[in-house]
Amino acid sequence: MLPPENRLRRREDFATVVRRGRRAGSRRLVVHLSSGTDPHAGRESSLPVRAGFVVSKAVGNAVVRNRVQRRLRHLIRARLFRMPPGSLVVVRALPGAGTAGHEQLARDLDAALERLLGGVRQ
């Protein structure tokens, strides 16, 4: 489970990340990353990385969508340390994610994050 301080919840935050952030994708996932400050917080330092997920009905029925979202939450939790403090991340699952295994999703997520972060480690 993703800790509450690392969850992206507000519709405006999702929209901001998708519109203004950088994007990298694959056949199964599209990852949007907005580095920098949280527009709703007063301070820039020590902001947590926050992540949100978009899994539409095109991915599959409710059982499949929930399974994909649980897998993505688990995968992103282990990768939060790679992102700069205050980053906002939206992971959008494409229809191929419904039939993909855990390892395939992990590879796609790692490849997208590597392209977005450009090899920068925090």
Side-chain angles (χ1 to χ4, degrees), residues 7-122:
R7 295 181 195 159
L8 194 62
R9 294 187 178 144
R10 298 179 59 169
R11 179 183 178 102
E12 299 86 23
D13 293 340
F14 275 86
T16 300
V17 175
V18 171
R19 272 195 314 254
R20 297 184 186 166
R22 297 177 59 214
R23 171 180 76 197
S26 67
R27 292 187 307 140
R28 297 173 194 93
L29 299 175
V30 177
V31 179
H32 300 268
L33 176 68
S34 177
S35 298
T37 63
D38 182 355
H40 303 290
R43 299 178 350 175
E44 291 186 23
S45 62
S46 72
L47 291 174
V49 175
R50 296 189 307 144
F53 305 93
V54 178
V55 185
S56 74
K57 287 186 178 180
V59 173
N61 63 24
V63 173
V64 173
R65 291 192 312 267
N66 286 330
R67 181 175 55 235
V68 168
Q69 190 165 2
R70 281 193 313 269
R71 286 178 177 170
L72 290 173
R73 265 197 317 259
H74 175 76
L75 291 169
I76 204 75
R77 181 180 182 189
R79 290 153 177 83
L80 289 175
F81 72 94
R82 294 175 59 183
M83 293 170 242
S87 295
L88 303 177
V89 180
V90 173
V91 180
R92 184 167 42 104
L94 299 176
T99 57
H102 185 80
E103 296 81 19
Q104 291 172 319
L105 290 176
R107 279 195 305 272
D108 285 353
L109 184 60
D110 287 336
L113 288 175
E114 192 66 32
R115 283 194 303 270
L116 288 172
L117 295 173
V120 175
R121 304 261 184 215
Q122 289 294 351

